[in-house]
Amino acid sequence: MKIGYIGLGLMGGPLARNLIRDGKNVLVYDLSNDAIQQTLAVGTTGSAAASVEDMVDCDVVFTSLPLPSHIKDVMMSENGLLTIMKKGSVYIDVSTIDPSTAEEIEDFARVRGIGFIGCPLGKGPAQAEKAEQPIFAGGDKATFDKVLSVLNIVGAPVHYLGGVKQAYAFKLISNMIGMTNLTVLSEGLRLGERAGIEAKQFQELLVETGANSFQLQVRGPWILNNDFANRFGVSLALKDVRLGCKMADGWGYDARFTKQAKKFYEQAEQSGMGKEDCNAVYKVL
């Protein structure tokens, strides 16, 4: 099996490296040569593509790209990869995009005899590097079964949610909850400071209450240590929150709490924090 991987950033790079570590024949492409070299360094079965068109003969192609528009440009434009991939091949996307775009991609691929599986991810780069990244898959069940062994290499556990709509909606909703929770946590930490409670003790005690959360346990200590290094950046968080609010609006639901949180991420980005971790929202609260 020949596998192509497009996009070797914080999430895509680790997943591609997992495939190479497993001995798979992987052709990789990224705009950053450093990202390519870092990925190829983990094994001998990977190689660099000069362009995405080099992946035309791949049996499976992955993309991990920032925006829906990037995916459509690479895969669905006039000379996009989906227009030249061989029939019977499978396209797997692990980006975070909106359900309507995912369904458009699925229809575009189906007409050309290509399977499409949407596989948004659940955690961060550290988990991805260890192949401990939860995968939320959606698409045709027969196609999913066809590539399940490959998905089990790049991450775990692999969950099948049904259609691509369900998979990408789940991811966006998850991020809407997580990012809104982070703004509430930041607000609470600021109030704890005003109350004069020692910051480390404050966080430790919150864990014992109904205020406990993933964000408290993971990003709380980073905030405590003034660590805003980019694991999941403000700009990416804002992109996902915007997509989620747009999705909700399209379904006639007003995501009021998420829209309020979105304002703080917008403020953080406008203040030059776009490439800092999303916990930098603490600074603007």
Side-chain angles (χ1 to χ4, degrees):
M1 177 182 290
K2 187 175 183 181
I3 302 172
Y5 209 110
I6 303 169
L8 306 174
L10 290 174
M11 300 298 283
L15 270 59
R17 288 192 284 275
N18 291 338
L19 291 166
I20 295 172
R21 291 185 185 107
D22 195 68
K24 299 302 180 187
N25 180 9
V26 185
L27 190 60
V28 301
Y29 179 82
D30 194 275
L31 296 177
S32 167
N33 186 62
D34 287 344
I36 292 173
Q37 296 309 315
Q38 181 183 1
T39 298
L40 296 182
V42 302
T44 60
T45 59
S47 58
S51 67
V52 295
E53 288 80 6
D54 289 349
M55 299 182 184
V56 63
D57 292 325
C58 287
D59 302 291
V60 176
V61 172
F62 283 83
T63 55
S64 180
L65 299 170
L67 297 173
S69 58
H70 296 146
I71 293 172
K72 293 177 79 168
D73 285 344
V74 170
M75 302 301 295
M76 298 171 61
S77 61
E78 183 177 354
N79 297 311
L81 191 54
L82 282 174
T83 66
I84 57 175
M85 285 173 63
K86 61 186 180 182
K87 289 185 177 181
S89 57
V90 179
Y91 167 39
I92 301 173
D93 174 61
V94 301
S95 314
T96 301
I97 61 175
D98 56 286
S100 60
T101 297
E103 291 180 319
E104 182 181 352
I105 294 170
E106 183 177 46
D107 291 342
F108 189 91
R110 183 186 298 114
V111 169
R112 288 156 180 80
I114 300 166
F116 174 61
I117 299 294
C119 292
L121 309 172
K123 293 185 179 178
Q127 292 80 18
E129 198 72 59
K130 296 184 290 185
E132 296 174 353
Q133 180 67 255
I135 296 174
F136 306 104
D140 174 71
K141 185 61 164 58
T143 304
F144 168 76
D145 291 338
K146 182 178 178 180
V147 296
L148 179 56
S149 61
V150 175
L151 295 177
N152 282 327
I153 295 168
V154 300
V158 178
H159 304 280
Y160 179 70
L161 277 76
V164 294
K165 174 183 176 180
Q166 287 74 37
Y168 286 105
F170 175 83
K171 171 63 175 183
L172 287 180
I173 295 166
S174 171
N175 280 6
M176 291 166 74
I177 294 170
M179 293 302 101
T180 301
N181 176 257
L182 182 55
T183 61
V184 175
L185 172 62
S186 298
E187 183 173 82
L189 296 179
R190 289 301 192 189
L191 283 171
E193 294 165 8
R194 296 291 181 92
I197 305 172
E198 195 277 323
K200 186 172 185 294
Q201 182 188 36
F202 184 65
Q203 291 196 21
E204 290 172 347
L205 295 179
L206 284 179
V207 172
E208 299 181 19
T209 75
N212 190 21
S213 69
F214 172 87
Q215 298 294 0
L216 171 62
Q217 293 191 30
V218 174
R219 288 191 161 86
W222 297 345
I223 292 173
L224 191 65
N225 294 315
N226 290 311
D227 180 358
F228 301 102
N230 188 357
R231 287 89 166 180
F232 181 60
V234 165
S235 292
L236 280 178
L238 177 57
K239 181 266 291 188
D240 289 357
V241 168
R242 281 173 171 161
L243 285 175
C245 290
K246 183 178 179 181
M247 174 185 72
D249 286 342
W251 293 339
Y253 184 84
D254 185 13
R256 289 163 287 178
F257 286 105
T258 307
K259 288 178 180 177
Q260 185 63 37
K262 178 166 66 73
K263 295 177 182 178
F264 296 113
Y265 291 104
E266 289 171 341
Q267 185 179 345
E269 184 179 59
Q270 291 163 6
S271 299
M273 304 174 195
K275 293 186 178 180
E276 296 186 36
D277 190 80
C278 55
N279 67 346
V281 74
Y282 165 83
K283 298 182 188 181
V284 303
L285 275 153

